[in-house]
């Protein structure tokens, strides 16, 4: 029987943190009070992977993590404590790597091979492009960096480059064997060329591996003498300079990551291959729920969910990584829900003061550091990534869009360029990650998405582009030909990456109004939630019986709970923040460089650096530099990943390092530390309030590794630093003397709320009833949840007045709420230091 999903704890596995390490933590996790270990992908990945999403073989458990035996031992230890496993799986992509046997088989045998159906390759456009070379092919050949090597263990001949290998097709191997005088072996390879007969290919490899020493020596001579350029021309694949990936790539990839190739999981045989391992682990009782990575990358997410639900049965929780825009509702798939980015943002937004946010934005716009309306900015950011890192995908989509349109284009005086511009416009103005139409039809929600695209294009694009886009929208809405359906499918698979790269990985790094709002799944035009909005959301979730995840941090979030809480508190102090910025500007300008009239960093980046320091202080210069390098490249204003601006980056990193440690910035640091100290009480209460809501609102709290103590991490890799498990074990044992008092309070609240969830079913299955509380500078937010005889009441502040502000006189309603069978949760008595109410009723 599966354990009830009460609370999850996310662990990131890699060779520095294995199943054995996790097994040692099982007593701690059990006593902390979680019900499930939420595991990052455990399938075999590229060696040294720090995350597991670069799957090399989905059918095997990663030996670097401890292999099958290690996972069985971990699952057994969890089961002995009544706990389960939620496993992260990756159906959308695999590593395009020499370590992936399916990728190697496809490269070797080409489009006719059994392995070719696994990957989403457009073979009709030519050979498989492999943009892995550090220089153009001709220069790489001339440098001697490429060579032919025989692999006698696997029965292959490969082209070797650095740590990559590229297997030759059977016909080429046959030619090399004949050149070595090995006719019989050559004939074995010649007969399997172009076929999908793995048995014949296996027999040929067996002959190859059985070659004696003399035959191997003859082959080595033939390999050394071969015309390597001619051999390369004859393969099913084509080596190229890595920079060509943005122009000529002919396989679908994960976003713009060329090393991750899209998988055709819509093919039933491929679905069975990808899910063979997790389904077996579920059948054996070792895994009890699945988290599905990047479901929007699939051709048909709804069909996928139907197939997966049929495979796992009705009682296995299925949670999908899905970004919902504000107001967007998850489609009625047979799943438990999402991994909760929208919940994280709802909780954060409840503590953001909209007037403070508005003041911050107005100040930046007054200095012309921010220009343009948000929809225009987002469309521009998406257009930038579509014409750069996603250009190859756009070109493929434009070719599909062009098919069958000769007559319509002639009638409308539309050019090929106009059609391509129309494709870009559709993607740039898509208001959500994607629509979900299939050959079986579409829903009213899809029509609404397409209509919003049409409205935005008509309002902003030139008439020629708008006319082309209108023609393409008709193909989306009423497909007639097979190419129409393929165009719609590819469009839906690309609109998500366009949003992710344009919004999450571009605009969020160039719009530093209040960085806690700049989060995955967030909304810059809706950064705050009113109490009434939040109540309505929670009432609906309770009615639906929500059990999906509620995180405060994930491996993909831009900031940990600590920086977000401090920045939310900052929104309530607009005058103090603006005054601090003015003082900091005077103190830090002398530390900035200028070159050709350009400040380095410029004023907007300097502002982002300043707010980051406030959010995460104290921070080491190394952590700050790692974060800033990523932030500058993601923003794509002065630098980027493809062509880093070394001078600008060096100046900006030097500026940040100086602020953190240089003697000449001592006065700035004194002001920074004083300002952070002033924010600390409010940040503490916001942080505790976020934990209370995570644990008590409808849904399942998900704790990211280590965040049961305060966590001031920034974006990855900062949030994947090693966790001090000993300190947390000591805290669980009651030894908190060595902890910061705020860490001790964070831990105690997390532990006690998990215990409350375990003993009071109102938090697992209860309804949701808002509590009406008189307006106050404290912005009280309260609700009650009931399940039979059990109930829980929660009241907490969402606005923290300036230090020294009196606590409201709540004696009357506190007495009413705590009386008549109610009792405050042990250790959490309402006071000025802990102005929140946690009360429960029902059997003790």
């Amino acid at each position: 029987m599966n354990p009830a999903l009460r609370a999850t704890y996310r662990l990131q596995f890699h060779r520095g943190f294995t199943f054995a390490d996790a097994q040692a933590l099982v007593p701690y996790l059990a006593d902390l009070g979680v019900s499930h270990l939420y595991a990052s992908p455990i399938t075999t990945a590229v060696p040294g992977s720090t995350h597991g999403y670069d799957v090399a073989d989905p059918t095997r458990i990663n030996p670097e993590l401890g292999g099958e035996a290690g996972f069985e031992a971990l699952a057994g230890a969890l089961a002995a404590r009544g706990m389960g496993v939620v496993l992260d799986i990756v159906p959308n992509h695999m590593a395009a790597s020499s370590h992936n046997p399916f990728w190697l088989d496809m490269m070797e045998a080409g489009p006719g091979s059994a392995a070719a159906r696994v990957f989403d390759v457009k073979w009709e456009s030519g050979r498989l492009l492999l943009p892995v070379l550090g220089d153009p092919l001709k220069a790489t050949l001339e440098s001697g960096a490429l060579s032919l090597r025989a692999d006698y263990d696997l029965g292959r001949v490969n082209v070797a480059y650095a740590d990559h290998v590229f297997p030759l097709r059977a016909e080429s191997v046959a030619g090399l064997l004949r050149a070595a005088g090995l006719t019989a072996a050559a004939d074995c390879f010649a007969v399997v060329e172009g076929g999908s007969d793995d048995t014949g290919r296996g027999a040929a490899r067996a002959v190859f591996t059985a070659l004696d020493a003399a035959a191997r020596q003859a082959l080595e001579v033939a390999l050394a003498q071969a015309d390597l350029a001619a051999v390369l021309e004859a393969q099913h694949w084509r080596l190229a300079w890595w920079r060509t990936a943005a122009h000529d790539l002919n396989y679908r990839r994960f976003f713009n990551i060329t090393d991750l190739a899209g998988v055709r999981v819509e093919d039933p045989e491929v679905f069975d291959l990808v899910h063979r391992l997790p389904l077996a682990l579920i059948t054996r009782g070792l895994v009890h729920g699945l988290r599905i990575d990047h479901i929007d990358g699939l051709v048909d997410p709804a069909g996928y969910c139907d197939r997966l639900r049929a495979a796992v049965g009705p009682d296995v929780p299925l949670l999908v990584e899905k970004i919902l825009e504000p107001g967007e509702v998850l489609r009625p798939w047979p799943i438990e829900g999402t991994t909760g980015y929208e919940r994280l943002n709802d909780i954060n937004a409840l503590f953001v003061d909209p007037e403070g946010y508005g003041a911050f934005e107005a100040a930046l716009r007054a200095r012309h550091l921010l220009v343009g309306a948000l929809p225009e900015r987002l469309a521009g950011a998406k257009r930038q990534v579509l014409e750069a890192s996603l250009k190859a995908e756009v070109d493929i989509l434009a070719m599909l869009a062009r098919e069958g349109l000769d007559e319509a284009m002639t009638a409308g005086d539309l050019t090929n360029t106009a059609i391509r511009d129309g494709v870009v416009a559709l993607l740039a103005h898509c208001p959500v990650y994607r629509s979900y139409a299939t050959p079986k039809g579409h829903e009213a929600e899809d029509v609404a998405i397409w209509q919003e695209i049409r409205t935005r294009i008509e309002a902003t694009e030139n008439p020629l582009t708008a006319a082309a886009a209108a023609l393409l929208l008709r193909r989306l809405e009423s497909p007639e030909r097979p190419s129409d359906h393929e165009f719609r499918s590819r469009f839906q698979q690309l609109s998500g990456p366009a949003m992710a790269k344009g919004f999450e990985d571009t605009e969020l790094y160039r719009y530093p109004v209040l960085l806690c709002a700049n989060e995955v799944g967030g909304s810059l035009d809706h950064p705050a939630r009113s109490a009434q909005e939040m109540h309505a959301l929670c009432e609906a979730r309770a009615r639906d019986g929500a059990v999906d995840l509620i995180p405060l941090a994930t491996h993909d979030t831009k900031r940990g709970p600590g920086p977000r809480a401090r920045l939310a508190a900052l929104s309530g102090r607009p005058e103090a923040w603006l005054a601090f910025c003015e003082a900091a500007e005077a103190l830090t300008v002398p530390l900035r460089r200028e070159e050709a009239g350009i400040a380095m960093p410029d004023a907007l980046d300097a502002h982002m650096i300043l707010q980051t320091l406030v959010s995460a202080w104290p921070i080491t210069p190394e952590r700050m530099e790692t974060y800033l390098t990523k932030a500058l490249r993601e923003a794509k204003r002065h630098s980027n990943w493809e062509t880093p601006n070394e001078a600008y980056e060096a100046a900006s990193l030097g500026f940040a390092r100086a602020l953190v440690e240089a003697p000449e910035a001592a006065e700035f640091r004194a002001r920074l530390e004083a300002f952070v100290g002033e924010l600390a009480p409010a940040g503490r209460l916001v942080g505790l309030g976020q934990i209370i809501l995570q644990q008590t609102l409808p849904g399942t709290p998900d704790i990211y590794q280590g965040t049961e103590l305060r966590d001031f991490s920034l974006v990855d890799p900062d949030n994947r630093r090693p966790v001090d498990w000993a300190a947390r074990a000591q805290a669980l044992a009651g030894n908190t003397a060595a902890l910061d008092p705020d860490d001790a309070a964070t831990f105690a609240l997390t532990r006690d709320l998990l215990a409350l969830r375990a003993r009071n079913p109102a938090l697992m299955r209860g309804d949701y009833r808002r509590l009406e509380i008189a307006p106050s500078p404290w912005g009280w937010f309260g609700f009650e949840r009931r399940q039979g005889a059990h109930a829980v009441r929660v009241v907490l502040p969402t606005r923290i007045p300036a230090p020294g502000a009196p606590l409201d006189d709540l004696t009357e309603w506190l007495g009413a709420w705590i009386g008549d069978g109610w009792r405050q949760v042990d250790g959490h008595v309402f006071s000025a230091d802990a102005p929140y109410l946690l009360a429960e009723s029902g059997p003790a």
Side-chain angles (χ1 to χ4, degrees), residues 289-466:
L290 297 177
R291 181 262 195 192
I292 295 89
D293 182 65
H294 188 47
I295 196 166
D296 275 347
L298 309 184
V299 166
D300 179 12
Y304 171 85
C305 289
D306 288 339
R307 182 175 290 145
L308 186 57
R309 173 56 70 197
V312 302
D315 300 325
V316 174
L318 299 178
L319 301 155
V320 300
E321 183 196 31
K322 162 64 188 165
I323 310 297
L324 291 168
E325 296 301 305
E328 184 182 9
V329 177
L330 184 67
R331 300 298 174 95
W333 301 332
I335 60 175
E336 274 60 37
T338 74
T339 53
Y341 293 119
E342 66 275 19
R343 312 303 165 212
L344 180 153
N345 283 286
D346 289 339
I347 290 173
N348 178 74
L350 183 64
F351 294 92
V352 171
D353 188 309
E355 293 184 3
Y357 188 95
F360 295 170
E361 183 175 21
L364 291 176
R365 288 186 176 275
R367 297 174 60 193
H368 303 291
L369 299 183
L370 293 178
V371 295
L374 282 166
E376 298 166 1
R377 290 177 60 96
L378 176 56
K382 292 168 74 173
R383 196 183 302 275
Q384 183 177 352
V385 299
L386 288 165
E387 294 292 11
S389 57
L390 296 177
K391 182 179 181 299
E393 285 79 1
V394 171
D395 288 343
I396 290 174
L397 193 57
M399 289 174 59
L400 282 171
R402 176 67 179 77
E403 289 184 24
L405 292 186
D406 288 348
E407 185 176 342
M409 289 176 63
T410 299
D413 279 344
L414 298 178
T415 63
N416 289 332
T417 299
I419 293 297
R420 190 183 184 285
D421 289 347
V423 167
V424 172
L426 294 181
L427 294 164
H429 293 287
C430 186
V432 293
Y433 267 67
R434 61 168 289 172
S435 53
Y436 295 94
T438 72
K440 296 178 182 179
H442 55 265
E443 304 298 331
E445 295 93 333
D446 301 310
V447 175
I449 293 168
W450 300 329
Q451 184 56 48
E452 179 63 22
I453 294 173
R454 178 180 284 107
T455 299
R456 294 185 182 192
I457 287 176
E458 289 174 351
T460 59
E461 299 291 342
N462 69 69
L464 185 61
T465 299

Side-chain angles (χ1 to χ4, degrees), residues 105-303:
D105 285 351
M106 181 182 68
M107 286 195 290
E108 179 187 35
S113 66
R117 71 187 303 166
V118 174
F119 301 100
D120 196 353
V121 180
K122 288 190 69 66
W123 290 101
E124 59 268 29
S125 68
R127 295 186 292 158
L128 176 69
L129 180 70
L130 301 176
V132 299
L133 302 180
D135 297 293
L137 176 59
K138 184 174 185 295
T140 306
L141 276 167
E142 291 173 350
S143 72
L146 297 169
S147 61
L148 289 173
R149 296 181 187 173
D151 185 333
Y152 297 105
D153 293 327
L154 295 180
R156 281 184 168 130
V157 176
N158 300 315
V159 173
Y161 172 74
D163 58 349
H164 302 279
V165 294
F166 311 98
L168 301 187
R169 64 192 301 170
E171 181 180 67
S172 295
V173 177
L176 292 166
L177 288 168
R178 285 198 181 92
L182 305 173
T183 305
D187 291 343
C188 291
F189 276 89
V191 298
V192 300
E193 170 64 32
S196 59
D197 181 6
D198 288 335
T199 302
R201 188 168 290 106
R205 289 175 183 164
V207 170
F208 191 99
T209 59
L211 294 175
D212 60 23
R216 293 185 181 191
Q217 179 61 36
L219 178 58
E220 294 296 332
V221 172
L223 297 182
Q225 295 176 346
D227 183 345
L228 184 51
V231 170
L232 291 174
E233 281 296 315
Q235 302 315 306
H236 295 296
W237 40 264
R238 175 168 67 91
L239 296 181
W241 192 15
W242 68 270
R243 293 185 182 277
T244 65
H247 299 273
D248 293 333
L249 201 68
N250 57 352
Y251 62 88
R252 182 173 62 86
R253 53 186 171 167
F254 173 67
F255 293 174
N256 63 338
I257 303 176
T258 306
D259 292 340
L260 298 178
V263 170
R264 298 183 61 255
V265 77
E266 65 272 15
D267 183 316
E269 289 190 22
V270 179
F271 178 93
D272 291 343
L273 172 74
V274 170
H275 295 86
R276 182 187 306 162
L277 176 62
L279 292 180
L281 295 174
I282 289 172
T283 299
R284 295 172 60 191
L286 302 178
V287 166
H288 311 88
L290 297 177
R291 181 262 195 192
I292 295 89
D293 182 65
H294 188 47
I295 196 166
D296 275 347
L298 309 184
V299 166
D300 179 12

Side-chain angles (χ1 to χ4, degrees), residues 786 793 814-823 840-842:
R786 284 188 174 273
R793 280 176 175 168
L814 274 177
W817 285 354
I818 298 174
D820 299 328
W822 289 90
R823 57 189 179 275
E840 61 177 321
S841 68

Side-chain angles (χ1 to χ4, degrees), residues 741-764:
D742 288 348
D743 282 326
T746 298
F747 186 89
L749 182 61
T750 302
R751 177 202 60 209
D752 294 348
L753 287 171
L754 287 169
L756 179 63
R757 291 184 64 81
R759 69 173 179 265
N760 196 316
L763 292 182
M764 293 278 287

Side-chain angles (χ1 to χ4, degrees), residues 535 539 767-771 782-786:
H535 284 313
E539 287 165 350
D767 61 9
Y768 181 95
R769 308 176 188 185
R770 68 180 73 186
L771 298 176
F783 59 92
E784 178 180 304
R785 301 194 62 196
R786 284 188 174 273

